Amino acid sequence: MTSPLLAVQDLEVWFDLPHGDTLHAVRRVSFSVERGERFGLVGESGCGKTTTILALMGLLPPTATVSGRVLLEGEDILEDGETSVRPHRWTDISMIFQGAMNALNPVQTVGAQIVEAMELHGIAEGADAKSQAGQLLEMVGIAPDRLDRYPHEFSGGMRQRAAIAMALACEPKVLLADEPTTALDVMVQAQILLLLERLSQELGLTVILVTHDLPVVAEVCGRAAVMYGGEIAEVGPVDTLYHDSRHPYTRLLFAAVPDPTGEEEVVSIPGAPPRLDRPIVGCPFQPRCDRAFEPCPTEQPRLIALGADHQAACHLNDPAFRAVS
Amino acid sequence: MRGADYVIKRTIFAVVTVFVALTINFIIFRAAPGSAVSNLARVPGATHALRAELEHEFGLDKPKLQQYFIYLGQLAHGNLGVSFASQQPVSHELLQALGNTIPMVLLGTLFAIGFGTFTGILAAYRRGTAVDKASVSTGLFFYSLPTQWLGLMLLLIFAGTLPSGGRVDAFLFNPTPLQHILDVLKHMLLPSLTLGLVLYGEYTLITRSAMLETLGEDYILTARAKGLSDRRIVTRHAFRNAMLPITTLIALSLGYIVAGSILIERVFSWPGIGQAVYYSVQNRDYPMLQGAFLLLTLSVVFFNYVADLLYFKLDPRIRE
């Protein structure tokens, strides 16, 4: 049995707040991804999805406390903090950010920023690195002679393409994409998503796509995890999540996607996500849930396996409770 | 090309600024209350004949417009007039004073730039730690001190060990060049330190805030994700961007080399431009003042011009 490419086990993140409070942003998050897989991490703003992937690379600020394991091909890269994670940054796991508006340094040429990553990790140097950087730009659909241009000379979509090219500079195994299309207009969004999909297929690249946009996940990813209140509510193949969701939040989330024909009304989920700076008792979604029953306010649901590759954290799936209800 | 456009635009702007300043400079002294001649005559009840004679001698009886063109014409030839007080050419007097001021101010400013930028970067990088707090409170302390008071305190403390005023030791006869330089340096130390400490506060605070701002940018997160070391992130990515506001500050403080030191030069009797301005005001030495103002304008405009050109080099976004 081979271990998955990347496995996250019991990841927890706390932030120190002023006045001695703490915010428990990520709670017992576990998931794993295989080589070449496109995995979605979906949820509302503030559900802990960005925190989760920043924690994967050890990029959270010093106010954050992280526990749990991140296994890359079986090796725990967070074991010794900065020392153990830095060698894996960009060479094994790289990252692109929201819209890429400010993800590129405004006073360096795009080429210099790509070459910097290559030289740092000993991939290539000098003219060789530059020609490789040109090929990378070509791969993402930018003319290689744009290497000497500055980020402000690029449009939003081109910047994101350049950021993707830069992320591929050291041939990583995993690409973390944090809301990569959020700040872009719809046409450009589609192009970027197609590009990510193509690169993942051509290069065998694993992509973890973080987004609040369900249709994006359905379009690009094979599998996804739905996060709520810092926890994973449900994880499984996107098709299963859509057709056979076993967590009310997933179901309501899909129902909340606007129907392009305009025939069905947009449904919203009433209420607000739980406050993460206070202890959560019972199921975090219970106050907003349309199917809450006796155990929900007091008992905390755990992820229960529902099929070979499908898990949900909801008491409705628990035979012990089902018998009662 | 855009670059040439930018340089030409900035140059024209600088030249026009100087010209406007020259004109205002001319008008101010004509509009100022009191007559230039009253002090020149040095006799309280000077006769009208004497006054008229003096006015004629200095060309003050000519129409204002004609005076203005004469003034411009003479300026073009580098003639700033003759000091009322010393009867020496103003340009000669000013150059000498400037020669005394520049090394003193430069020493203090360089100290402030070097030390202030360094501690500013360190404080931003170690935000929230004891290092940061110590650096910020020290910076605030010196920044908020009145220059002349700090000067007087340093004078009180060090007057025994270091010379308390002047530029050279009057009793050092026939010094060798090396002796002379050391002597001047010794005299320079306190006034430079006073200036340097006050500027240091400003530099360290501004560097810190500029650095904090850039360290919070997304491209710093990208740089960290790329696996760069902290040192490289600070030098290559953060400081490079934070340099923009710092450059402005450097240009501004260098521009005020000429004027910013009046208080310090008074406290330490340093025979520089500040001192010259002070005496000229007391003596109603209009040509000297006019010359000093001109020099001040030129240095401010010049350093701003240099900052503009540096910006062009540092920030690719300006080249648009």
Side-chain angles (χ1 to χ4, degrees):
Chain A
M1 214 187 100
T2 54
S3 56
L5 177 63
L6 183 76
V8 177
Q9 294 178 348
D10 296 317
L11 188 73
E12 310 244 3
V13 178
W14 296 266
F15 286 104
D16 293 334
L17 299 178
H19 316 299
D21 295 332
T22 51
L23 188 147
H24 197 171
V26 173
R27 302 161 187 239
R28 294 179 310 279
V29 163
S30 300
F31 62 88
S32 62
V33 286
E34 302 294 338
R35 279 172 191 79
E37 190 180 8
R38 292 184 296 280
F39 183 78
L41 212 51
V42 207
E44 293 167 77
S45 306
C47 73
K49 48 195 196 305
T50 298
T51 308
T52 302
I53 61 160
L54 287 178
L56 290 191
M57 285 181 89
L59 289 177
L60 290 171
T63 51
T65 313
V66 180
S67 85
R69 307 206 299 164
V70 174
L71 302 173
L72 182 76
E73 297 178 315
E75 180 197 345
D76 186 358
I77 59 173
L78 291 187
E79 198 172 15
D80 292 319
E82 190 76 7
T83 5
S84 60
V85 74
R86 192 186 287 163
H88 296 285
R89 288 186 186 148
W90 228 250
T91 53
D92 290 322
I93 310 179
S94 65
M95 195 166 183
I96 56 173
F97 299 93
Q98 200 173 93
M101 279 319 176
N102 296 310
L104 297 167
N105 188 338
V107 300
Q108 283 184 9
T109 62
V110 171
Q113 296 182 56
I114 300 177
V115 167
E116 181 183 36
M118 289 181 177
E119 292 188 334
L120 180 75
H121 296 290
I123 304 290
E125 274 187 33
D128 186 25
K130 201 167 173 189
S131 86
Q132 283 193 32
Q135 288 166 14
L136 284 169
L137 279 192
E138 217 166 1
M139 189 156 76
V140 298
I142 298 176
D145 60 2
R146 295 278 188 142
L147 275 178
D148 295 325
R149 297 303 182 89
Y150 289 92
H152 73 272
E153 298 174 280
F154 282 22
S155 68
M158 276 172 75
R159 268 183 241 186
Q160 190 58 285
R161 282 168 191 272
I164 293 172
M166 184 164 81
L168 299 177
C170 302
E171 298 177 11
K173 300 182 176 95
V174 184
L175 174 67
L176 307 176
D178 185 12
E179 304 264 11
T181 57
T182 302
L184 304 172
D185 65 56
V186 185
M187 286 302 290
V188 181
Q189 272 189 29
Q191 290 166 4
I192 296 289
L193 292 174
L194 280 175
L195 174 68
L196 283 177
E197 207 172 343
R198 200 193 83 212
L199 291 172
S200 152
Q201 284 163 356
E202 283 175 9
L203 307 172
L205 180 72
T206 303
V207 176
I208 298 182
L209 182 68
V210 174
T211 180
H212 62 271
D213 200 347
L214 269 179
V216 164
V217 170
E219 175 80 30
V220 177
C221 302
R223 246 163 27 97
V226 177
M227 284 188 75
Y228 187 82
E231 300 178 13
I232 290 186
E234 189 167 6
V235 56
V238 173
D239 276 350
T240 314
L241 293 182
Y242 183 64
H243 294 293
D244 185 26
S245 62
R246 300 291 289 275
H247 194 292
Y249 179 61
T250 313
R251 180 169 46 75
L252 290 169
L253 206 56
F254 273 108
V257 174
D259 175 27
T261 59
E263 283 166 15
E264 286 174 48
E265 235 173 82
V266 178
V267 191
S268 67
I269 308 175
R275 291 188 57 163
L276 298 176
D277 56 349
R278 295 180 185 164
I280 294 176
V281 182
C283 171
F285 188 59
Q286 172 265 326
R288 301 168 79 185
C289 185
D290 56 353
R291 296 193 55 194
F293 62 118
E294 294 89 65
C296 299
T298 48
E299 299 283 330
Q300 188 163 38
R302 299 274 163 179
L303 277 174
I304 297 172
L306 302 163
D309 193 26
H310 185 196
Q311 293 173 292
C314 177
H315 292 312
L316 287 169
N317 305 312
D318 194 333
F321 289 122
R322 206 183 269 166
V324 182
S325 65
Chain B
M1 214 198 110
R2 283 172 190 150
D5 273 4
Y6 177 85
V7 173
I8 291 171
K9 234 190 216 160
R10 289 288 112 194
T11 311
I12 292 176
F13 186 73
V15 170
V16 170
T17 312
V18 169
F19 186 74
V20 170
L22 285 181
T23 310
I24 293 176
N25 207 359
F26 174 84
I27 295 170
I28 282 179
F29 289 99
R30 268 54 188 187
S35 160
V37 188
S38 64
N39 214 45
L40 258 186
R42 291 180 200 261
V43 196
T47 59
H48 282 287
L50 179 57
R51 282 167 174 257
E53 182 73 18
L54 281 168
E55 280 187 354
H56 182 71
E57 188 186 329
F58 285 95
L60 295 171
D61 53 348
K62 295 198 173 81
K64 292 279 190 286
L65 197 66
Q66 198 185 340
Q67 285 185 39
Y68 177 62
F69 284 117
I70 293 172
Y71 163 70
L72 287 185
Q74 293 298 318
L75 264 187
H77 290 95
N79 183 1
L80 296 175
V82 172
S83 162
F84 288 171
S86 68
Q87 299 299 326
Q88 297 292 316
V90 167
S91 50
H92 176 256
E93 298 270 295
L94 281 178
L95 274 182
Q96 199 178 356
L98 197 63
N100 292 340
T101 292
I102 286 179
M104 187 271 285
V105 177
L106 211 56
L107 184 68
T109 309
L110 288 180
F111 164 81
I113 292 174
F115 200 51
T117 324
F118 177 74
T119 55
I121 293 174
L122 203 66
Y125 179 59
R126 300 238 177 269
R127 183 183 194 176
T129 62
V131 176
D132 180 22
K133 281 169 192 149
S135 165
V136 169
S137 34
T138 319
L140 271 176
F141 175 74
F142 284 116
Y143 189 27
S144 47
L145 286 185
T147 318
Q148 71 280 16
W149 186 82
L150 179 63
L152 285 171
M153 289 305 116
L154 288 179
L155 206 54
L156 273 180
I157 298 168
F158 294 107
T161 31
L162 286 167
S164 61
R167 184 174 159 269
V168 286
D169 190 344
F171 295 103
L172 188 65
F173 296 111
N174 300 324
T176 62
L178 183 69
Q179 273 179 323
H180 174 71
I181 291 173
L182 285 179
D183 184 39
V184 172
L185 268 179
K186 224 158 75 181
H187 283 81
M188 204 191 278
L189 216 54
L190 281 184
S192 289
L193 188 66
T194 311
L195 181 83
L197 284 177
V198 173
L199 271 182
Y200 154 77
E202 196 177 355
Y203 272 99
T204 189
L205 293 175
I206 290 198
T207 305
R208 178 178 174 273
S209 75
M211 279 298 284
L212 281 182
E213 200 174 303
T214 46
L215 281 174
E217 294 282 355
D218 284 350
Y219 52 79
I220 297 299
L221 191 60
T222 311
R224 287 182 61 207
K226 272 159 100 171
L228 297 180
S229 65
D230 288 345
R231 173 188 287 262
R232 201 178 153 101
I233 290 171
V234 167
T235 53
R236 287 286 299 267
H237 290 275
F239 186 58
R240 187 64 179 66
N241 280 281
M243 259 169 78
L244 297 169
I246 299 169
T247 308
T248 313
L249 180 65
I250 293 177
L252 284 180
S253 57
L254 286 182
Y256 283 97
I257 274 189
V258 173
S261 49
I262 294 182
L263 291 170
I264 291 172
E265 291 189 354
R266 270 308 289 159
V267 170
F268 293 98
S269 316
W270 189 263
I273 286 272
Q275 187 92 308
V277 168
Y278 179 79
Y279 286 135
S280 305
V281 169
Q282 284 198 323
N283 295 330
R284 279 207 184 173
D285 195 342
Y286 289 102
M288 269 297 276
L289 275 180
Q290 205 168 335
F293 281 17
L294 177 69
L295 207 60
L296 166 63
T297 316
L298 283 179
S299 80
V300 170
V301 172
F302 172 75
F303 281 106
N304 273 292
Y305 178 65
V306 171
D308 279 340
L309 295 187
L310 270 179
Y311 252 73
F312 182 71
K313 190 93 191 93
L314 289 175
D315 190 349
R317 284 163 294 188
I318 286 187
R319 291 174 221 166
E320 275 295 88

